[in-house]
Amino acid sequence: MSNINQSRRRLFSRRKSNVIRPPWSRQDIDFTDICTRCDKCVEACETKIIIKGDGGFPEVNFTIDECTFCKKCVEACPESLFTATDESPWQIAATINDTCLARQGIWCQSCKDACDSRAISFTPAIGKAPQPQIDTDICNGCGACVAPCPSHSITLLDNKNVES
């Protein structure tokens, strides 16, 4: 009987998701409570990075392109899903894992070249490839660095959990 109760609890538990919702959107649990899955934000996204995710809820996929913060998703939404657009669009920042080519000794700076905000820099090192550094205070979470990375080493995470 206790296994059944645990299964039910897991079924109805409301855990915070790791997916990235559109910019300026409410926190995940509030988001899924209010979103009607109408797809208007998906259709409005100029770079097509907002896709239908789990359960049909919109989420951002930076492997497609970057967010230009055009606000078209906000304008298209008929619900009260979005906060004031004069605030920061979200609290995410890029992070680079150990599969990065530069960290493997191969000269690569494709992420730096794609970063308009100049949040990514490379520190020269004697005898090895320059190493990437992300200034999370400058990173706006646009995701421009994700798609060009040849080793898929960049992800965007909640700013509170990011170390450069």
Side-chain angles (χ1 to χ4, degrees):
M1 189 75 156
S2 66
N3 286 342
I4 292 172
N5 288 338
Q6 287 177 343
S7 295
R8 285 183 183 155
R9 268 190 229 116
R10 254 185 266 125
L11 178 66
F12 295 108
S13 69
R14 294 168 52 132
R15 289 175 277 156
K16 183 168 172 41
S17 172
N18 289 328
V19 301
I20 298 172
R21 299 292 179 204
W24 297 287
S25 62
R26 295 180 180 275
Q27 295 297 316
D28 197 52
I29 291 172
D30 290 337
F31 186 92
T32 56
D33 283 350
I34 298 170
C35 180
T36 62
R37 298 172 273 197
C38 69
D39 293 340
K40 289 184 179 173
C41 61
V42 173
E43 295 162 7
C45 181
E46 71 179 19
T47 56
K48 304 301 178 203
I49 62 168
I50 302 176
I51 61 168
K52 284 183 89 145
D54 283 343
F57 292 103
E59 59 187 62
V60 175
N61 181 343
F62 288 115
T63 63
I64 298 168
D65 206 343
E66 67 185 280
C67 182
T68 62
F69 305 112
C70 67
K71 302 178 185 174
K72 290 181 180 177
C73 56
V74 176
E75 295 162 2
C77 184
E79 305 302 325
S80 60
L81 278 174
F82 296 91
T83 60
T85 56
D86 57 342
E87 297 173 4
S88 176
W90 43 41
Q91 297 301 312
I92 59 173
T95 185
I96 302 173
N97 67 37
D98 290 336
T99 62
C100 170
L101 294 178
R103 292 189 177 161
Q104 302 300 316
I106 301 166
W107 189 290
C108 177
Q109 294 187 3
S110 60
C111 56
K112 176 185 172 189
D113 295 341
C115 183
D116 286 339
S117 66
R118 303 285 180 233
I120 302 173
S121 61
F122 278 76
T123 306
I126 297 172
K128 60 181 182 177
Q131 298 299 295
Q133 299 292 316
I134 298 175
D135 184 338
T136 56
D137 291 332
I138 297 174
C139 180
N140 62 13
C142 71
C145 56
V146 175
C149 179
S151 59
H152 311 288
S153 301
I154 303 174
T155 54
L156 280 102
L157 300 172
D158 188 310
N159 227 348
K160 293 173 276 237
N161 301 326
V162 174
E163 294 177 22
S164 47

